[in-house]
Each structure stands twice: as C-alpha cells, then as structure tokens.
C-alpha cells in the first residue's frame, strides 16, 4: 500500500504488531464522511445520533466485524493487542465513538464473553457484529461506584417460574452513569444473587432494557442523565428495575449457575474469590482506558508541538521573534509528556502481550497478581498523565488552545472522566498495592501483613544498600542509574508500608480499615512508584528491539528523559532518603532541562510518527485547514535542519 | 437586614470592607430570575443573548450604576476594593457575565478612565452606566498576545482631515479574542501611532465598531470566533480595520496627544516609559482576574467539601461506610486549596488596598514596582491554583463532578482561560522578576544586572545564614519557621539568578534574551517563591486583625496549613539547600497530613462562610435541589458535633 510505503521506520516500530490492521482503520477513518469534522456545535441529541451512526459504521467495518466474531472464540492469538490498536485509532477519530465502542464491545462484550457460556455468547454477543442490537454494562450504582462489592441490586431466583427477579430496592441501588443507556437493547447487570434465601454474592445477568423499536421492557425505568463535561455523544443514564423478570438462562453462568430446580453451583466455593474471579476476567477491558488516554495525549501533543514550532513570540532585541518552542518553559512543559506517552505505548503493549499470552494458554488472569496490579496502575497513571498533558498542551497553545476549532478543549473535556470512571484512580492505586501484597503473601501461604514484613524487610535492605553504594554522581545520565533509583524507591516504600501496617494492626490492634486509611498517602505513593518503575523498564526493554540505528538513538533519548523526569518529580524523597545528594539532585534538574532542549526538534518527527490521520487532528494551528476558522491556520512546520537528516531513514 | 444578622462573624470577616454592598449584590442576584438556573444547554446564540441580558441587568442595579459613575471621578476612596467585591459575586453567579462585566468596565472602562481625559470619560464611559452602549478592549493581536509591545496595528495622523487612520496591515495584526466583539459599540484599540512619519509607540484610540442598530462602522470587519472551551456567553471575535477614519479627539490623551496641526506631545519623553505608564495604569484591572479565579475556587470547594461530607463509601468491616471526607487522600486533596483561597482572599484585599491608597493620593502606579510585581504574580498564582483546585474538586466528586448539573465542569471550562488571557502566566511570572529587579536597580541608579548582584549578594548571605542556624526541628509547626523558610527561598533564588545572569551577560557576553531564556525555569521559580511568601505573610497579618477568638483559632490553623503546604511543595529545594534536614522534611509531610485532617470538619463552616447564594452554587450534590436532576441530590451535610460548638459564635 502507498500509505505503508511512505511510513517511516519509527512509525512502523511505534505501531508494533498488527500494523496492517491499524493502517486499514486509518484508511477507513480517513475516507469516511462521518469522521471529517468535529461535532462540538451540535445539540445533545444530534451529537448522540451522530455518535450512534459513527459507532454503527465502525462496527460494520469488515476488519472490526471479524474482530467481534473472534472475540466469541477462545484462544485467539493477540486478540487484545489487536483490539487495543483498533480502539486507540477510533478514540483518536472521536472519543465518544471510542468510548461507546468500549461500552458495547469491551464492557458489555467483556461481560458476556468472559462470564458467559458458549451458548450465551452466541445469543447475546454475536448479533452485535451483525448490528442487530447493542448492549450496556450496569455495574456502578449511585451508592457504590468504586466499591463494587457493596452493590445493592437484587436478583432473587424464583424456582416456580424458573426466573430471576431483578430489583432496585432503594435509590442508592440505582444503576448510574450507564453508557448507551438511552440507545442500547440489553444490559449486563451486576446484582446480588439469592437462591432459596441464600446470598451468593454479586453475579451478572443479561437484562433486556428495550426492544428494537425502543419500547422499554416491563419494570425497567431509564432516566437520561443528559449533559456532561464532555463525551456528549455518549448517552449516560440511570437504570431502575422494579421486579423485572428474566429467564434463568440470563444468568451469565461461567462462575456460578442455578439449576432449574433452584440449586446453586459454582466452580469457586468462596463468595469473595468468586467475585474476584469475575472482576479479574474483566481486566483486559481496563487496559482500554489506557489506550483511550494515550489517543488523547498523542493528539494534544501533535497539536501543541506543531504550533510551538510555528508560532513566534519574543526574541533577541532587533531580531526576528523566536519560535515559542525555543522558550525554556515551553519545551520543559511539553517534552516530558511526549516521553511519557512513548513509555505508555510500550508498557501497554507489554501488558496486552502478557494478557494475550495468558488467555491463549487458557490461564486464569486472577492468579497473576502482578498483571492485575500492572493494569490497575496503568489505568491510574495514564489517565492522570493525560489530564496533566492536555492541560499543558492547552496552556502552551495560549488563546488558540481555548478555541474549540483547535481540538484540545474537547479532548480535555472528553478524557477528564477517565480518572474517575471504570474505577476511581485513588481506588486503582489501592488495588495495585493490595495485589502486590497478596502476591507476596500467597507465595508465603501466610497472612498478607505479617508474611510480607518478613520477606520484604529481609530481602530489601542488603541489596538496596549495595546499589546505593555503587552510585557515583557521574552516573545520573546513565539509564541504569535511573532504573535503580526507581526500583529502590519502590522497594523502600513497600518495606516501610508493611512495617507501618504491621505496627498498627498487629501491635496496636488497630482496625484494618483505619490503619490502611492512615497510610493512604503512602499507599498511593507506592503504587505510583511501582508503575513508574515498570514504565521505564518497559520503555528501555522495547528500545532493545529497535533495529534502526537513528530510531534507536532517538528513542533512547526520550527514554532517558522519561527516567530523568520520574526521578526529578520525586527528588525530595530521594534527598530525604539520602539516595541523592544535593549536588546529584541539582544535576538531575540540569539533565532534565538539557534533555528537554535536546529533543524539542526531534519531537516534530515523533508526533508525525504517531501516524494519526489529519481528519483526526483537525486543529488549524497544527496545519489542518478548516474553512470555518481560517484565522486559526498555521502551516505545518518543517523540521529544523538537523532533524531532517535524522528523519531521512 | 435579616441576612446580615444571620451571617456569622467569620463570614463578615471574610467579606471585609464594603460588606453591605456585597450583601446587596447577594440579595439582587438571589431574587433575579435571570440567575436562577444554569445555561449549559443553550445554543451559542441563546447563551450570548442571555449573558447580554444578565449584563444589562447587573449594569442597571442602583449600586453598580453608582459605582460606574464613581469610576469616572478621581480619588474615590476604596473604589477598587469595592469593585472587586462586586465582581467576585457576579462571577460566582455566572462567570461569563462576570467576564463581560470585566471587559466593559474593567478593560474598556479602565482604558477610557485611566488613559483618557475628563471629557473623554464623560463621552465614552458615562453612557455605559445609562446602558446606552458597551465597549470592548482591543489590545491582543494574532501575532502578539503577551508581547504587547510588538503590536502592528497602525494609527497614522492625517492633519488635513484632523483624523487618525486606523489600519490592520497584515493577518498577524488582526485584533483577536476580543470580548464583546459581536455586541459592543466602541473599542479601545491599541495601535502604533505615527505623526508626520514619526513613530510614537503604542497608544489607545476609541474606535466606533457598530452603531446601536448593529451596523458596522465603515472599514471595520468583525469575525465571530464562535465556540470556545467555556465562557460560551462571551462573544469573542476578530477586529480588522481597513483604513478606518476616526476624529483626532478619539486618541485617549492622558499620556500622549496630537494637536490639530499635527504636533505630538506627551508628559513622558521615552517611548518605552510612556507605554509602561499606560500599562501600569491598567494594573488595577489585572487584579480582577484573581477575584474571578477566587470565585470559581470557592464554588468548587463549597460543592466538593459538602459532597465529601455527605457521600459515603468504603469503611471498616461490617460497619457503616464512612463519609468520603474521612479518606486520607480526600482531605489531603481538598484542604490545601481551601487554605490557599483564604490566603488569596487576604492578599488580594491587601493589593487592592495598596492600589486604592495610591490612587487616592494621586500617585503613579508605575513607580511602585513591588505593586506591579504583586499584581502580576497574584494573577499567575491564583489562576493556576484555580485550575489545580477545580481539577481536584472534579475528581473528588467522582462521576457526579462530571455532570453539568453539578456546576464544577462549567467552572473548570470557564476559568481555564484565565491562565493564558490578560497576560500568559509564564509571561506574568517574568514580569514579577523584572519588576523586582528594576525596583532594586532603580534604588541603585545602576544597570539592573550588575547593580543587583552587588546588593543582593552582599545583603542576603549573612542574615540568611543566621536564620538557618536558628532553626530547630521542633519549630516546623511554628508559623514563623514557615515564613522564614519562604523568605529564605525567595532571597536565595534572587541572589543566584542575578549571579547567573551576571555571569552569562557580563562575563560571557551572551545576548540578554538568550541568557534570560536559559534561566527561565529559575525565573518562574523565583516569581512563584515571591508570591508564595507574600500570600503567607498577608494571611498571617490579616489574622492579627481578627477579633473573634474562635475565628482567629480557625484561621490560624488554615494559615499554618497554607505555609506547610507551600514549604512541602518545595521541600526538594530546601533539602538541596540543606535548609531542611531529611528528618525535618518528613516532619513537614506529617504536619501537612495532620493539619489537613484536623481542619476537614471545620472546612464545612469555612465554605458556608464564603456566603455565596444557593442560586450560584446550583449543584444538587451540595444540597441545592434541582428538579431536572433529582438523582444528584444530597442533603446539605450537618457539621460534625465538635464543629457545631465552634460555629455557635
């Protein structure tokens, strides 16, 4: 294909596996009339209708149709990696469409395919690929968002009718923020199952919400939540069930089933483990949030970096004004985010690869505590990083960045919700730490707290001390120094957290919730330290696979910048722990400034190699003309001279 | 009045001077139908029309009519303080109305009243108080936003006609982002004056844009910039002048005038000083940005703090879930912002008082470099603080905070522009440092750089060393310790900046722009250090005036929190400079956590004492019912038991 031939080696490397599939999606989006303009000036209803139309178009694309059919099968090699690649591009084209695709295929589809039987998949998911209906995912309740174990919706089995009765007992049990609530036909509803008066914990049920003509199922009430900060094309609503009757077959039965005569059975005995298994089965979907955030960050950076290389302001006396990218503050604000999105690209690829490999081998995701921690941590880190990145992009583009025509405002508003939805970030960070602790504890077949103290305290101190002594000031420019520093921080925070919890719970006999809560700042710090370390490691490992010399050199600089930026952020901690001396800490700052300066021109090549179609970028200040806002147009900047040699590969 | 009687002593203290005027505005807003609901679901045109109607209503209020008439007179005691008090409440009612009020009275009005003659004020501003017309402020150009000296619009004097010809010579000279551009009648236009072929630098001219029927003045083109991230009610546009002829009398003549026969005269000889004087005369308007940001922060905090005291999630096993404010991360995210908005309240009051006193005495604002620095620094610090604060408020209210009904999203989108408009924050911080440097240099009648080095380096070291040695670990809980620390940081950064610039410019003979740019990170750090120090000092000084014991105690805790939070943010720097030991640094962190926890319940009283009418708060999650979103309603939380005693004053 012509497009592929003109793609640089770096663009191909950043695409990774399934680059042909991605190219096909790029071509489809570029030629589809529905994706040629932004939609911020539509009414809420028009916006939702357009999004529904865009979603139908996407679901109808041959490549995606095939992907949906593959989703029903088990053991598809690289299924998640491919799905995420597609999802990122759909999000880049339109975030609302990407999020609705995530609701229908990732969440609803994830529930049916991971919690249901083969027959159930055929019945409730395969028709989605034929555009027969769409679904929604009803887990969150008004009173219980992030604390899903506490949901109150009831599912009582009635043996006489062989039916479940789904019921909303109180206001706090209303299913809230449900995406596709105003348009979808079926909902995967989480509810507390009771059989013969015995509580079996949360299970997932397929509940019909409305028929193809839009008529609501008896007993179902839907309230439109209407206007949000962003994602105007996503119809969020509230579902209320008034003793809604559904057939026995509508319980997704992989982790628990009820026989016709009302006998409950499950492959997992403990109610708590059973629910954990269900949640673990939904892990792959969570990685979708990270690629949504990455799509937004990449777009923001393309726009901000290009404009910074076009717009001029201030300069030496009696000379031309300089490009704003030349201002120290400007490159210092943008470059670390560019490094972070590269790190996220490789870390997400790594996580998806692990999940794909596990699923291909038919393994249970729940047992991989490390993987659960990684995915939860990536969700929190990437979505916060996205908020910070887009805010810098908005500010670095000045008044132009506040105009809707220039895309950044909508990206900000659309993606702002990612930090709290699908698991609030603060809760996600707690998941990271709990998973890590459980993993260690399991290895010891002991209680989390006391077991951990023994291993962590004994293992950590010696090797850490050694690594500390091995450091000389000259080495801060060495990636190994940065990797060691991140690893040290993670391990010290782990060790000290366990010691603190141990002291509170086992010595002072504090109640666990209170003890944990009093360490929450510590917990979130540890979780971020963990994910920071993994992103730098994965960035470094990915570069080793890069065969093209110039690309390797360029990525290495960004990798060093990412590590430098992460250590710089936490330099207070390193100074407190005497891991950095004051002189070394200052050296880190100088290194950050120097690296940001040294990559500011190459940044143009990197954003270009994100290979996002112009119809997704939209912004006139990034060189995409728009007759509605001629005043905003700046020609796409040419790469500065030095850079040109590098990009000629 | 009943309202006044029921107001607590703290609310009265926070109101300060002109509390009767503020109460009157509160009553007017509360009973005006135009301010009873939010307007996010209107079209752009409806939104603009509603805002225009709101603005007319506000301008027509007796109290504001009188204030506008006072603005024309000179030497009104406390004029700015009173204006800012009014402006903050109008912004709280509707940010777009507040910003348009700022455009018409602060910017257009500021230009006419500060740069014009008595006759000009009567002609072009007094009619605004009679609702005869409104104005706009046309300084920013496409190519020159923050670098106003570089504007390109031309104003050529034609003696034959006794007219100025206002002309836009190129695309980059178009007046951009002009507020009220689609509705206003007159514009205060900044253009490069040339008389008899001689350039006299930028001056301000009153240019008629359209007549009362909306017909554009000959040669004027207006382009609608339409959709923005927020402030939908503000009509921003582009003004283009094609040899527009205006009478000689339309040059605002305070700092420069042209006689009928074409002779230029000015009380200030240097072109550069002349323009500085004009900009300085506009300083009071800049303080308006800070109160706009404060209005947004207060609303965000009212909503987030109340919801955090209502909503429950997670908790000890087999017990009720706890209020989310009890989570350590939740109070740690919100309380420092509450402390900061209190500090800003007192610092803004201080700055406004200084300006009012100077103007009352008929002094020239330009000569007070410290005041220029303070206002520029407050603009940058308060607007960034607002962005950070509202983001935390949004995240701390979860999905509810993403719903338009709950007010926070619109506040975020409306106030996001403050960080770049009316002077980009990064430019503002450079203004702070340049003003401070010029102040010192002026005292020495010497060049900025070399003069400064001599004073700063000699004065700083001794006293700083002494203060350093006087510190013991036990004192971090003492406000004086924190004040000293902030002061130390400011002075060391000053000294080292001057040394670096000296070395670059005088020793290495680097070009000044390049030298300055290579220190930009340092410059912005110094500017923030300066403003941080001033806010803590002013907070501490204001508390000394508080007569009510319980209020004094409460404010003292928040003041200590503000100082702790500022030192905590920069603890890496203090560790690098060995001003904090690792142990002291850890102690600061513990103190931050403890203080945030200790004020979390009193926070309910503080946000209540902001005394913002319910129709401005709007959010159902903060206890303001809304039939359109019954699902979002949470009753206003009662103060926890301990707190009740305190609030009973």
């Amino acid at each position: 294909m012509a497009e592929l031939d003109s793609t640089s080696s770096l663009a191909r490397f950043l695409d990774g596996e399934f680059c042909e599939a991605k190219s096909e999606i790029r071509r489809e989006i570029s030629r589809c009339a529905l994706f040629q303009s932004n939609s911020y000036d539509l009414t809420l209803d028009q916006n939702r209708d357009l999004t529904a139309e865009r979603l139908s178009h996407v679901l109808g694309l041959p490549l995606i149709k095939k992907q949906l059919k593959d989703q029903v099968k088990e053991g598809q090699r690289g299924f998640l990696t491919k799905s995420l690649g597609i999802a990122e591009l759909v999000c880049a084209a339109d975030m609302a469409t990407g999020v609705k695709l995530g609701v229908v295929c990732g969440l609803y589809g994830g529930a049916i395919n991971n919690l249901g039987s083969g027959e159930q998949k055929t019945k409730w998911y395969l028709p989605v690929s034929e555009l027969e209906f769409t679904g929604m995912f009803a887990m969150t309740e008004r009173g219980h968002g992030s604390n899903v174990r506490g949901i109150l919706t009831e599912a009582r089995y009635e043996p006489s009718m062989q039916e479940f009765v789904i019921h909303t007992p109180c206001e706090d049990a209303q299913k809230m923020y449900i995406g596709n609530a105003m348009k979808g036909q079926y909902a995967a509803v989480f509810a507390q199952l009771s059989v013969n008066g015995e509580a079996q914990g949360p299970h997932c049920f397929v509940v019909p919400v409305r028929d193809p003509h839009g008529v609501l199922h008896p007993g179902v009430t839907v309230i439109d939540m209407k206007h949000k900060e962003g994602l105007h094309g996503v119809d969020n609503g509230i579902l209320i069930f008034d003793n809604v009757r559904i057939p026995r077959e509508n319980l997704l039965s992989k982790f628990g089933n009820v026989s016709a005569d009302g006998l409950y059975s499950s492959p997992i005995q403990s109610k708590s483990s059973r629910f954990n298994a269900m949640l673990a089965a939904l892990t792959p979907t969570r990685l979708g949030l990270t690629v949504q955030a990455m799509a937004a960050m990449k777009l923001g950076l393309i726009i901000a970096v290009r404009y910074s290389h076009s717009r001029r302001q201030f300069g030496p006396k009696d000379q031309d004004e300089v490009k704003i990218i030349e201002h120290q503050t400007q490159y210092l604000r943008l470059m670390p985010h560019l490094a972070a999105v590269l790190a996220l690209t490789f870390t997400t690829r790594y996580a998806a690869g692990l999940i794909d490999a596990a699923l291909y081998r038919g393994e249970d995701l729940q047992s991989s505590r490390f993987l659960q921690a990684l995915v939860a941590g990536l969700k929190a880190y990437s979505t916060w990083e996205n908020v910070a990145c887009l805010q810098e992009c908005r500010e670095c583009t000045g008044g132009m960045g506040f105009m809707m025509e220039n895309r950044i405002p909508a990206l900000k508003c659309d993606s702002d919700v990612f930090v709290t939805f699908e698991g609030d970030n603060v809760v996600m960070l707690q998941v990271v730490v709990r998973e890590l602790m459980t993993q260690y504890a399991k290895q010891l077949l002991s209680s989390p707290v006391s077991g951990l103290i023994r291993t962590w305290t004994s293992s950590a101190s010696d090797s850490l001390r050694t690594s500390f002594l091995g450091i000389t000031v000259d080495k801060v420019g060495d990636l190994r120094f940065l990797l060691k520093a991140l690893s040290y921080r993670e391990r010290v925070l782990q060790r000290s957290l366990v010691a603190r919890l141990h002291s509170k719970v086992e010595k002072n006999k504090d109640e666990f919730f209170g003890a944990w809560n009093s360490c929450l700042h510590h917990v979130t710090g540890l979780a971020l330290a963990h994910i920071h370390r993994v992103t730098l490691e994965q960035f470094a490992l990915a570069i080793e696979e890069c065969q093209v010399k110039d690309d390797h050199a360029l990525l290495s600089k960004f990798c060093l910048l990412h590590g430098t930026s992460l250590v710089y952020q936490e330099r207070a901690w390193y100074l407190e722990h005497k891991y950095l001396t004051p002189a070394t800490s200052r050296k880190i700052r100088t290194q950050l400034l120097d690296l940001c300066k040294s990559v500011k021109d190459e940044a143009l090549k990197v954003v270009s190699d994100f290979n996002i179609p112009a119809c997704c970028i939209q912004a006139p200040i990034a060189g995409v003309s728009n007759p509605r806002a001629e005043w905003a147009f700046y020609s796409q900047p040419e790469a500065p001279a030095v850079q040109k040699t590098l990009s000629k590969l």
Side-chain angles (χ1 to χ4, degrees), chain A:
Chain A
M1 298 301 305
E3 285 100 336
L4 265 178
D5 291 341
S6 67
T7 305
S8 77
S9 57
L10 181 61
R12 283 195 296 278
F13 186 71
L14 292 178
D15 255 0
E17 221 183 339
F18 304 110
C19 56
E20 297 81 3
K22 290 188 188 178
S23 290
E24 189 174 331
I25 297 293
R26 288 187 181 103
R27 283 192 297 271
E28 294 285 4
I29 287 171
S30 296
R31 73 173 168 225
C32 171
L34 291 169
F35 290 108
Q36 297 312 303
S37 64
N38 44 31
S39 49
Y40 56 76
D41 53 351
L42 305 181
T43 65
L44 190 66
D45 286 341
Q46 288 170 336
N47 227 317
R48 288 176 171 184
D49 289 345
L50 175 61
T51 306
E53 214 183 330
R54 285 170 169 169
L55 178 66
S56 283
H57 176 81
V58 167
L59 289 173
L61 294 175
L63 188 136
I64 293 186
K65 206 191 253 297
K66 178 175 179 309
Q67 186 73 354
L68 265 60
K69 289 187 196 296
D70 283 352
Q71 194 176 354
V72 175
K73 302 174 199 162
E74 275 173 37
Q76 294 292 309
R77 201 185 278 269
F79 175 80
L80 180 63
T81 302
K82 191 173 173 186
S83 298
L84 294 176
I86 295 169
E88 188 181 329
L89 285 165
V90 175
C91 287
D94 177 56
M95 197 57 78
T97 307
V99 167
K100 279 204 76 153
L101 183 69
V103 168
V104 174
C105 302
L107 291 169
Y108 173 79
I112 305 287
N113 290 303
N114 295 310
L115 310 179
S117 66
E119 206 176 315
Q120 289 174 322
K121 296 181 200 180
T122 307
K123 182 168 178 189
W124 284 306
Y125 191 64
L126 218 47
V128 171
S129 71
E130 299 301 331
L131 302 175
E132 288 176 27
F133 57 74
T134 62
M136 55 195 99
F137 182 78
M139 182 184 267
T140 298
E141 296 180 358
R142 185 179 194 264
H144 291 89
S146 294
N147 185 6
V148 284
R149 261 160 241 277
I151 56 163
L152 299 169
T153 301
E154 300 166 353
R156 183 172 39 84
Y157 185 62
E158 259 196 26
S160 61
M161 307 289 287
Q162 294 200 27
E163 284 176 338
F164 292 103
V165 181
I166 308 291
H167 188 65
T168 306
C170 60
E171 199 183 12
D172 268 353
Q174 295 175 355
K175 293 294 182 184
M176 214 167 206
Y177 311 113
I178 308 306
N180 202 25
M182 307 312 293
K183 306 238 181 225
Q185 280 73 41
Y186 289 94
V189 175
F190 283 81
Q192 300 284 356
L193 172 62
S194 75
V195 186
N196 294 323
E198 199 178 335
Q200 298 293 352
H203 285 67
C204 187
F205 303 83
V206 176
V207 180
V209 171
R210 55 174 65 82
D211 71 15
H213 309 290
V215 178
L216 287 175
H217 191 76
V220 176
T221 302
V222 184
I223 297 173
D224 191 345
M225 293 181 78
K226 296 208 170 160
H227 297 270
K228 306 186 295 293
E229 179 178 341
L231 294 178
H232 306 303
V234 180
D235 45 313
N236 290 93
I238 298 170
L239 299 182
I240 305 168
F241 306 107
D242 181 9
N243 291 297
V244 174
R245 297 185 160 267
I246 55 170
R248 187 174 64 91
E249 295 73 27
N250 287 30
L251 165 61
L252 295 176
S253 58
K254 191 167 168 189
F255 293 101
N257 207 354
V258 177
S259 66
D261 53 349
L263 281 179
Y264 179 78
S265 61
S266 166
I268 304 169
Q269 286 320 301
S270 145
K271 264 185 271 183
S272 170
S273 311
R274 201 185 291 152
F275 188 53
N276 281 342
M278 291 185 208
L279 292 181
L282 301 173
T283 306
T285 307
R286 183 163 282 160
L287 211 49
L289 271 287
T290 294
V291 299
Q292 289 172 351
M294 279 162 50
M297 286 177 78
K298 287 181 184 174
L299 285 166
L301 286 166
I302 292 172
I303 297 165
V305 168
R306 287 193 177 155
Y307 182 61
S308 299
H309 273 275
S310 299
R311 174 77 197 275
R312 289 171 179 272
Q313 186 128 273
F314 295 104
K317 213 177 169 182
D318 304 324
Q319 289 181 38
D320 281 349
E321 290 180 295
V322 303
K323 292 177 189 167
I324 57 175
I325 192 70
E326 302 297 336
H327 299 169
Q328 189 182 64
T329 39
Q330 190 84 353
Y331 56 72
L332 191 56
R333 293 172 88 177
L334 295 174
M335 294 305 115
H337 293 295
L338 191 50
V341 79
L342 288 170
L344 281 169
T345 300
F346 299 118
T347 312
T348 307
R349 182 174 301 173
Y350 162 68
L354 289 180
I355 294 175
D356 271 331
L359 294 178
Y360 186 71
R361 292 192 303 263
E363 283 172 19
D364 165 18
L365 292 178
Q366 194 197 353
S367 58
S368 177
R369 295 297 181 165
F370 162 71
L371 196 52
Q372 299 288 330
L374 175 61
V375 173
L378 268 178
K379 190 273 179 187
Y381 172 63
S382 63
T383 56
W384 267 331
E385 175 57 27
N386 168 59
V387 166
C389 170
L390 289 180
Q391 187 63 31
E392 294 289 9
C393 291
R394 169 13 228 140
E395 297 185 20
C396 285
T397 51
M400 283 293 189
F402 193 65
M403 307 308 299
M404 290 304 286
E405 300 289 357
N406 285 320
R407 190 92 164 88
I408 295 173
L411 288 171
K412 276 184 61 185
C413 293
D414 286 348
S415 63
D416 188 23
V417 78
F418 298 162
V419 296
T420 56
F421 93 168
E422 306 289 323
D424 182 273
N425 280 2
V426 175
V427 177
M428 285 297 98
L429 296 182
Q430 295 177 65
V431 169
V432 172
V433 173
R434 285 193 194 231
E435 294 290 347
L436 292 177
M437 285 172 73
T438 313
Q439 180 184 31
Y440 280 82
K442 229 169 84 183
Q443 289 167 358
L444 295 161
L445 299 171
S446 161
S447 86
V449 173
S450 58
L452 271 174
I453 300 149
R454 262 176 277 133
T455 27
W456 286 2
T457 45
S458 63
S459 72
S461 54
D462 296 338
S463 55
L464 292 179
R465 195 45 57 188
T466 322
S467 74
F468 169 56
L469 292 173
I471 291 156
T472 70
V473 174
D474 296 309
K475 294 202 176 148
V476 297
D478 187 330
L479 187 60
R480 283 169 301 181
F481 170 89
L482 301 169
L483 280 165
K484 255 190 189 170
L486 294 181
S487 182
Y488 172 79
R489 178 164 142 80
E490 180 187 359
R491 290 157 75 191
V492 171
L493 284 173
Q494 256 181 355
R495 191 179 46 177
S496 54
L497 176 66
V498 172
R500 286 181 68 196
L501 287 173
H502 176 72
S503 150
K504 284 168 193 274
V505 175
E506 309 222 342
K507 286 192 192 149
N508 306 350
K509 305 293 173 201
D510 286 3
E511 197 278 322
F512 186 76
F513 174 82
W516 179 266
N517 189 38
S518 69
C519 296
L520 216 44
H521 181 62
H522 191 155
V523 166
T524 54
L526 165 57
L528 285 170
H530 171 74
I531 198 72
H532 286 172
R533 192 257 302 162
V534 176
T535 62
L536 188 63
E537 275 177 8
Q538 290 309 316
F539 197 163
L541 287 169
I543 294 175
E544 289 182 13
E545 305 297 313
C546 181
Q547 307 294 329
V548 181
K549 201 178 143 214
D550 286 344
D551 294 348
H552 190 284
L554 191 159
L555 290 173
S556 297
K557 272 211 264 184
F558 276 99
C559 184
L560 196 61
L561 169 55
H562 182 58
T564 305
S565 163
L566 292 173
V567 171
Y568 176 77
Q569 282 170 38
E570 299 299 341
R571 68 198 185 287
W573 187 92
Y574 289 107
L575 285 158
E576 276 179 6
H577 289 76
K578 299 188 177 166
Y579 194 87
L580 292 183
T581 64
T584 323
S585 176
R586 277 193 282 261
K587 206 163 169 153
I588 294 277
R589 185 178 60 233
T590 308
Q591 179 165 309
L592 180 69
L593 289 166
D594 291 348
L595 281 169
C596 287
K597 186 176 186 179
S598 84
V599 298
K600 71 181 165 43
D601 292 342
E602 285 152 309
L604 271 181
K605 171 173 169 58
V606 174
V607 298
S608 172
D609 287 342
F610 287 153
N611 203 359
I612 295 183
C615 72
C616 303
I617 300 170
Q618 297 169 6
I621 53 168
V624 182
S625 70
N626 172 352
R628 293 204 301 187
E630 283 173 7
W631 45 265
F633 185 72
Y634 281 77
S635 300
Q636 205 173 306
E638 286 197 25
V642 184
Q643 192 42 34
K644 270 183 186 160
T645 0
L646 187 64
S647 61
K648 220 189 297 157
L649 293 171

